[in-house]
PDB file of all heavy atoms in Angstrom:
ATOM      1  N   CYS J  73     -63.765 -50.712  29.516  1.00 94.00           N
ATOM      2  CA  CYS J  73     -63.585 -50.314  30.921  1.00 94.00           C
ATOM      3  C   CYS J  73     -64.927 -50.316  31.662  1.00 94.00           C
ATOM      4  O   CYS J  73     -64.986 -50.536  32.870  1.00 94.00           O
ATOM      5  CB  CYS J  73     -62.957 -48.927  31.005  1.00 94.00           C
ATOM      6  SG  CYS J  73     -61.203 -48.922  30.625  1.00 94.00           S
ATOM      7  N   GLY J  74     -66.016 -50.064  30.933  1.00 93.00           N
ATOM      8  CA  GLY J  74     -67.334 -50.011  31.557  1.00 93.00           C
ATOM      9  C   GLY J  74     -67.976 -51.384  31.745  1.00 93.00           C
ATOM     10  O   GLY J  74     -69.036 -51.503  32.355  1.00 93.00           O
ATOM     11  N   ASP J  75     -67.316 -52.427  31.224  1.00 94.00           N
ATOM     12  CA  ASP J  75     -67.872 -53.780  31.276  1.00 94.00           C
ATOM     13  C   ASP J  75     -67.312 -54.514  32.506  1.00 94.00           C
ATOM     14  O   ASP J  75     -66.140 -54.880  32.543  1.00 94.00           O
ATOM     15  CB  ASP J  75     -67.502 -54.513  29.975  1.00 94.00           C
ATOM     16  CG  ASP J  75     -68.123 -55.897  29.894  1.00 94.00           C
ATOM     17  OD1 ASP J  75     -68.655 -56.384  30.907  1.00 94.00           O
ATOM     18  OD2 ASP J  75     -68.065 -56.486  28.801  1.00 94.00           O
ATOM     19  N   GLU J  76     -68.170 -54.753  33.490  1.00 93.00           N
ATOM     20  CA  GLU J  76     -67.721 -55.402  34.744  1.00 93.00           C
ATOM     21  C   GLU J  76     -67.100 -56.775  34.497  1.00 93.00           C
ATOM     22  O   GLU J  76     -66.212 -57.206  35.215  1.00 93.00           O
ATOM     23  CB  GLU J  76     -68.911 -55.530  35.715  1.00 93.00           C
ATOM     24  CG  GLU J  76     -69.240 -54.247  36.484  1.00 93.00           C
ATOM     25  CD  GLU J  76     -68.068 -53.762  37.347  1.00 93.00           C
ATOM     26  OE1 GLU J  76     -67.406 -54.591  37.973  1.00 93.00           O
ATOM     27  OE2 GLU J  76     -67.813 -52.539  37.332  1.00 93.00           O
ATOM     28  N   ARG J  77     -67.592 -57.478  33.449  1.00 94.00           N
ATOM     29  CA  ARG J  77     -67.072 -58.825  33.171  1.00 94.00           C
ATOM     30  C   ARG J  77     -65.607 -58.820  32.745  1.00 94.00           C
ATOM     31  O   ARG J  77     -64.936 -59.841  32.714  1.00 94.00           O
ATOM     32  CB  ARG J  77     -67.916 -59.491  32.067  1.00 94.00           C
ATOM     33  CG  ARG J  77     -69.329 -59.850  32.502  1.00 94.00           C
ATOM     34  CD  ARG J  77     -70.191 -60.154  31.299  1.00 94.00           C
ATOM     35  NE  ARG J  77     -70.217 -59.006  30.380  1.00 94.00           N
ATOM     36  CZ  ARG J  77     -70.856 -58.997  29.209  1.00 94.00           C
ATOM     37  NH1 ARG J  77     -71.490 -60.061  28.790  1.00 94.00           N
ATOM     38  NH2 ARG J  77     -70.850 -57.902  28.447  1.00 94.00           N
ATOM     39  N   ARG J  78     -65.105 -57.637  32.324  1.00 93.00           N
ATOM     40  CA  ARG J  78     -63.708 -57.560  31.893  1.00 93.00           C
ATOM     41  C   ARG J  78     -62.754 -57.379  33.076  1.00 93.00           C
ATOM     42  O   ARG J  78     -61.548 -57.330  32.877  1.00 93.00           O
ATOM     43  CB  ARG J  78     -63.519 -56.390  30.899  1.00 93.00           C
ATOM     44  CG  ARG J  78     -64.494 -56.340  29.732  1.00 93.00           C
ATOM     45  CD  ARG J  78     -64.120 -57.251  28.591  1.00 93.00           C
ATOM     46  NE  ARG J  78     -62.754 -57.178  28.159  1.00 93.00           N
ATOM     47  CZ  ARG J  78     -62.368 -57.276  26.888  1.00 93.00           C
ATOM     48  NH1 ARG J  78     -63.269 -57.396  25.929  1.00 93.00           N
ATOM     49  NH2 ARG J  78     -61.105 -57.261  26.576  1.00 93.00           N
ATOM     50  N   ARG J  79     -63.286 -57.240  34.308  1.00 90.00           N
ATOM     51  CA  ARG J  79     -62.394 -57.056  35.461  1.00 90.00           C
ATOM     52  C   ARG J  79     -61.993 -58.412  36.006  1.00 90.00           C
ATOM     53  O   ARG J  79     -62.489 -58.880  37.009  1.00 90.00           O
ATOM     54  CB  ARG J  79     -63.087 -56.191  36.514  1.00 90.00           C
ATOM     55  CG  ARG J  79     -63.290 -54.763  35.998  1.00 90.00           C
ATOM     56  CD  ARG J  79     -63.803 -53.837  37.051  1.00 90.00           C
ATOM     57  NE  ARG J  79     -62.955 -53.828  38.247  1.00 90.00           N
ATOM     58  CZ  ARG J  79     -63.194 -53.050  39.282  1.00 90.00           C
ATOM     59  NH1 ARG J  79     -64.236 -52.234  39.272  1.00 90.00           N
ATOM     60  NH2 ARG J  79     -62.400 -53.080  40.328  1.00 90.00           N
ATOM     61  N   ASN J  80     -61.069 -59.079  35.282  1.00 90.00           N
ATOM     62  CA  ASN J  80     -60.637 -60.426  35.669  1.00 90.00           C
ATOM     63  C   ASN J  80     -59.233 -60.429  36.267  1.00 90.00           C
ATOM     64  O   ASN J  80     -58.588 -61.468  36.358  1.00 90.00           O
ATOM     65  CB  ASN J  80     -60.721 -61.364  34.469  1.00 90.00           C
ATOM     66  CG  ASN J  80     -59.703 -61.002  33.389  1.00 90.00           C
ATOM     67  OD1 ASN J  80     -58.990 -60.000  33.522  1.00 90.00           O
ATOM     68  ND2 ASN J  80     -59.609 -61.800  32.353  1.00 90.00           N
ATOM     69  N   GLY J  81     -58.737 -59.232  36.627  1.00 94.00           N
ATOM     70  CA  GLY J  81     -57.409 -59.162  37.239  1.00 94.00           C
ATOM     71  C   GLY J  81     -56.272 -59.051  36.236  1.00 94.00           C
ATOM     72  O   GLY J  81     -55.112 -58.972  36.611  1.00 94.00           O
ATOM     73  N   GLN J  82     -56.610 -59.029  34.923  1.00 95.00           N
ATOM     74  CA  GLN J  82     -55.562 -58.906  33.893  1.00 95.00           C
ATOM     75  C   GLN J  82     -55.618 -57.529  33.238  1.00 95.00           C
ATOM     76  O   GLN J  82     -56.700 -57.001  32.961  1.00 95.00           O
ATOM     77  CB  GLN J  82     -55.752 -59.971  32.816  1.00 95.00           C
ATOM     78  CG  GLN J  82     -55.482 -61.394  33.316  1.00 95.00           C
ATOM     79  CD  GLN J  82     -55.603 -62.411  32.201  1.00 95.00           C
ATOM     80  OE1 GLN J  82     -56.507 -62.323  31.378  1.00 95.00           O
ATOM     81  NE2 GLN J  82     -54.702 -63.375  32.176  1.00 95.00           N
TER      82      GLN J  82
END
Side-chain angles (χ1 to χ4, degrees):
Chain J
C73 285
D75 184 349
E76 280 300 319
R77 291 165 302 177
R78 309 278 312 217
R79 293 187 55 178
N80 67 356
Q82 292 183 319

